[in-house]
């Protein structure tokens, strides 16, 4: 029994870190269990990451894909939602250390589910992030939206043709589902949505370049669907640089190297998008150090068959932060692992055997959109491309958006966008565009640590390091 915000808790306490697919589905799966559930997440929303690219390109607004976690769980009386950044986990004393700005907190647990997901990996070149934002959070999507629409706005003011070309050259790095979707959408934006909006240049002349070290886009879908995707993208006028890696990025250009002949090319481009590589949350490293679990190369925790970490039987890792051979970093991996862990916890409390002792992933297939009315899908041996795949994609994505209101408004926005080429979420602000740079200058990153004393500390450290 322990104190929690003025109340005494006597039931088994499950603390969940993260409110993504893993965190939310774990909480929901514990709805009827005889436990208290506390979700601690650094955002107050549950993010539907698969549709981030539609926020970045003006189809959807952020609220459609990021409903409030608190609202989703308001009728689940055993669940408490707390906004905060977890910074440490004491697995010996079973305490989570976290903070909300300058308020430092600790929360005890009986069982801990770490569902902190993964961030973007720049493969050791973290400085690229400034010029080529990734696509993992609402902040990322809004920043990219501001950069994409902002590039067109700047081109309207420009008189130098070379500068206009640089502004209208969009480079997307990584030809997985996110990269393919982004490239297709920027192309549609330029060719259709913005076609009549500018007077100084023709938006249709914008270039969209997709770069990847693999020989074809969508490597996990196999060569056949990869080739079909390549053809569809080329038809849309996306320039495909396959077998090519990025070697440098700066504010004005991207340098790429062809892996086949070793040749280098410099592409002048102001707006770049990074959609390659994932890196497990830093909490993975903390858990690994405390429990003796191993990390894979992407910083994910190599979990035990029951998804516990190392020697800690009460610490579970689910979703993108876990490494289980053969389980991809997709929503279904997070949902299924979350439900599996919830069952283990319930069984332990009830003193009965769980439905399954070992986590087994059921592959329901993969899909990705290329553009309006075009997608690819793979379910076991069944493969489909084109309109049928696109319809299936729309249906399934709508199904998994949390909340009826968000589903309805997403459907309406899709109708506007798909039937008229219009995009109703084109609002951008200067703060969205420059916020990341401002935070970097403050030295506070984007972790939510922006608080008075910390800024003072950072300023003091800077002064010590660079005495005037
Ligand atoms: C752009 C994009 C497109 C995708 N498209 C698809 C798709 O089409 N189909 C598909 O199946 N999958 C897709 N995925 C993958 C899918 O979204 C992920 O597999 C899934 O979200 C993983 O869920 P998760 O709960 O493990 O992590 P996440 O959803 O990333 O959630 C992590 C949670 O942890 C919180 N958190 C992280 N660190 C801390 C901390 N220190 N303290 C407190 N809270 C913390 C975050 O705020 C967040 O709430 C896509 C992913 C991206 C990025």
């Amino acid at each position: 029994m322990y104190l929690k915000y003025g109340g005494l808790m006597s039931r088994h306490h499950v603390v969940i870190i993260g409110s993504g697919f893993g965190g939310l589905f774990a909480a929901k799966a514990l709805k009827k269990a005889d436990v208290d559930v506390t979700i601690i997440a650094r955002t107050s929303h549950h993010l539907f990451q698969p549709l981030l690219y539609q926020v970045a390109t003006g189809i959807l607004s952020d609220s459609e894909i990021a409903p409030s976690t608190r609202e989703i769980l308001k009728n689940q009386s055993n669940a408490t939602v707390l906004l905060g950044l977890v910074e440490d986990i004491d697995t010996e004393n079973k305490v989570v250390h976290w903070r909300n700005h300058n308020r430092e907190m600790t929360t005890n647990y009986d069982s801990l589910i770490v569902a902190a997901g993964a961030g973007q990996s720049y493969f050791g070149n973290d400085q690229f992030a400034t010029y080529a934002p990734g696509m993992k959070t609402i902040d990322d999507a809004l920043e990219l939206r501001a950069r994409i629409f902002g590039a067109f706005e700047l081109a309207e003011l420009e008189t130098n043709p070379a500068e206009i070309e640089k502004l209208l050259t969009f480079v997307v790095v990584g030809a997985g589902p996110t990269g393919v979707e982004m490239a297709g959408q920027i192309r549609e934006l330029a060719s259709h949505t913005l076609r009549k909006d500018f007077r100084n240049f023709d938006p249709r002349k914008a270039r969209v370049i997709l770069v990847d070290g693999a020989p074809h886009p969508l490597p996990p879908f196999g060569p056949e669907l990869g080739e079909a995707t390549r053809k569809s993208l080329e038809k849309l006028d996306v320039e495909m640089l396959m077998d090519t890696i990025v070697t440098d990025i700066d504010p004005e250009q991207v340098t790429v190297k062809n892996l086949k002949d070793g040749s280098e090319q410099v592409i002048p481009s102001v707006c770049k998008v990074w959609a390659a590589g994932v890196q497990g949350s830093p909490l993975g490293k903390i858990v690994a150090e405390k429990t003796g679990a191993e990390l894979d190369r992407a910083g994910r925790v190599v979990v035990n068959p029951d998804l516990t970490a190392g020697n800690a039987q009460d610490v579970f890792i689910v979703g993108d932060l876990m490494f289980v051979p053969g389980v991809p970093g997709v929503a279904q991996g997070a949902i299924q692992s979350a439900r599996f862990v919830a069952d283990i916890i319930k069984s332990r409390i009830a003193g009965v055997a769980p439905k399954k002792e070992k986590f087994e992933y059921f592959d329901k297939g993969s899909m990705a959109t290329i553009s309006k009315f075009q997608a690819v899908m793979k379910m076991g041996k069944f493969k489909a491309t084109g309109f049928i795949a696109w319809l299936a994609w729309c249906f399934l994505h709508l199904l998994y958006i949390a909340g009826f209101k968000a589903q309805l408004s997403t459907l309406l926005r899709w109708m506007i966008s798909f039937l008229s080429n219009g995009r109703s979420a084109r609002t951008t602000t200067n703060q969205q565009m420059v916020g990341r740079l401002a935070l970097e200058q403050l030295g506070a990153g984007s972790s939510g640590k922006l608080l008075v004393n910390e800024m003072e500390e950072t300023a003091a450290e800077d002064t010590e390091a660079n005495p005037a």
Side-chain angles (χ1 to χ4, degrees):
M1 185 183 294
Y2 39 81
L3 203 60
K4 187 198 148 217
Y5 307 118
L8 282 177
M9 296 181 75
S10 55
R11 294 200 290 185
H12 187 97
H13 188 204
V14 182
V15 172
I16 300 173
I17 304 174
S19 59
F21 283 105
L24 185 67
F25 279 79
K28 284 183 168 182
L30 291 166
K31 183 173 182 181
K32 295 194 177 137
D34 187 21
V35 296
D36 287 309
V37 177
T38 302
I39 292 193
I40 307 171
R42 69 175 173 198
T43 61
S44 57
H45 53 257
H46 161 69
L47 177 59
F48 191 84
Q49 286 180 337
L51 290 176
L52 271 173
Y53 79 94
Q54 295 202 354
V55 173
T57 53
I59 296 175
L60 295 179
S61 85
D62 45 350
S63 55
E64 266 116 26
I65 67 159
S68 150
T69 315
R70 191 172 296 291
E71 192 183 358
I72 298 171
L73 293 175
K74 70 180 175 196
N75 294 324
Q76 183 169 335
S77 58
N78 70 343
T80 301
V81 179
L82 302 172
L83 177 65
L85 177 79
V86 174
E87 295 189 313
D88 198 9
I89 300 165
D90 177 349
T91 55
E92 211 175 306
N93 297 304
K94 299 191 177 190
V95 183
V96 172
H97 295 266
W98 57 284
R99 67 192 296 153
N100 183 320
H101 295 267
N102 53 353
R103 180 183 275 249
E104 294 193 18
M105 321 277 273
T106 55
T107 301
N108 299 64
Y109 63 83
D110 295 306
S111 297
L112 177 67
I113 304 177
V114 188
Q120 209 77 61
S121 168
Y122 286 83
F123 308 115
N125 293 300
D126 289 353
Q127 72 280 8
F128 290 176
T130 307
Y131 315 117
M135 184 104 93
K136 286 285 178 189
T137 63
I138 285 290
D139 280 338
D140 292 338
L142 293 177
E143 181 182 10
L144 278 170
R145 187 200 282 175
R147 287 189 184 207
I148 293 166
F149 285 98
F152 285 99
E153 292 299 334
L154 284 173
E156 182 76 339
L157 308 177
E158 190 54 63
T159 48
N160 179 342
E163 288 299 317
I164 294 181
E165 199 180 323
K166 197 191 323 175
L167 284 161
L168 295 183
T169 299
F170 298 88
V171 178
V172 180
V173 186
T178 304
V180 165
E181 286 163 349
M182 274 307 284
Q185 282 309 313
I186 300 175
R187 197 55 270 163
E188 285 197 344
L189 203 58
S191 303
H192 303 293
T193 312
L194 301 179
R195 195 163 56 96
K196 294 184 181 165
D197 289 18
F198 294 93
R199 305 289 171 259
N200 190 36
F201 63 92
D202 181 352
R204 288 173 297 183
K205 295 208 168 119
R207 292 174 69 196
V208 180
I209 304 171
L210 185 59
V211 185
D212 200 297
H216 55 75
L218 301 180
F221 288 67
E224 196 188 322
L225 289 180
E227 269 314 299
T229 305
R230 175 209 281 270
K231 281 188 189 143
S232 303
L233 286 168
E234 280 174 347
K235 244 188 186 167
L236 289 172
D237 276 341
V238 173
E239 297 171 41
M240 307 291 291
L241 288 186
M242 297 295 104
D243 293 301
T244 302
I245 55 165
V246 169
T247 54
D248 197 19
I249 296 187
D250 71 22
E252 306 280 310
Q253 61 196 32
V254 179
T255 310
V256 296
K257 182 176 173 185
N258 185 299
L259 291 176
K260 283 187 167 163
D261 59 18
S263 61
E264 283 211 326
Q265 192 188 147
V266 174
I267 307 167
S269 163
V270 170
C271 186
K272 285 85 70 176
V273 181
W274 190 268
V278 292
Q279 179 68 33
S281 151
L283 290 183
K285 189 163 176 251
I286 292 173
V287 171
E289 278 167 6
K290 303 275 170 80
T291 65
E294 281 185 21
L295 292 179
D296 78 341
R297 279 174 55 195
R300 295 174 298 180
V301 182
V302 180
V303 287
N304 300 319
D306 62 356
L307 305 189
T308 52
N311 57 17
Q313 285 307 296
D314 38 30
V315 178
F316 300 86
I317 314 287
V318 301
D320 280 6
L321 186 56
M322 70 177 188
F323 173 77
V324 176
V327 181
V330 294
Q332 274 303 321
I335 293 170
Q336 291 178 31
S337 57
R339 288 178 173 156
F340 169 85
V341 164
D343 181 60
I344 296 243
I345 293 173
K346 284 192 276 190
S347 312
R348 282 186 188 172
I349 293 167
V352 297
K355 284 183 199 142
K356 282 183 187 159
E357 307 267 354
K358 182 179 166 217
F359 176 61
E360 283 162 24
Y361 176 65
F362 176 65
D363 187 357
K364 294 190 174 174
S366 335
M367 42 180 57
T369 46
I370 300 167
S371 61
K372 187 167 71 168
F373 307 143
Q374 281 199 71
V376 289
M377 67 187 279
K378 190 175 153 223
M379 282 178 179
K381 286 189 181 154
F382 176 75
K383 292 173 188 161
T385 56
F387 187 63
I388 297 289
W390 182 81
L391 275 183
W393 180 93
C394 289
F395 175 73
L396 279 174
H397 280 69
L398 209 52
L399 201 68
Y400 276 96
I401 289 178
F404 178 68
K405 276 183 281 178
Q407 286 171 327
L408 194 65
S409 82
T410 300
L411 188 62
L412 282 175
R413 289 206 191 238
W414 279 357
M415 283 164 73
I416 293 171
S417 170
F418 299 144
L419 299 178
S420 74
N421 286 325
R423 300 200 179 205
S424 44
R426 281 171 55 173
T427 311
T428 64
T429 70
N430 194 38
Q431 282 192 18
Q432 288 165 354
M433 178 125 62
V434 301
R436 175 195 300 263
L437 298 175
L439 282 170
E440 273 172 13
Q441 286 209 349
L442 286 168
S446 54
S447 64
K449 282 195 201 171
L450 196 61
L451 52 117
V452 179
N453 11 4
E454 214 168 59
M455 284 163 63
E456 281 165 3
E457 274 167 28
T458 312
E461 278 165 22
D462 285 352
T463 318
E464 275 165 35
N466 308 299

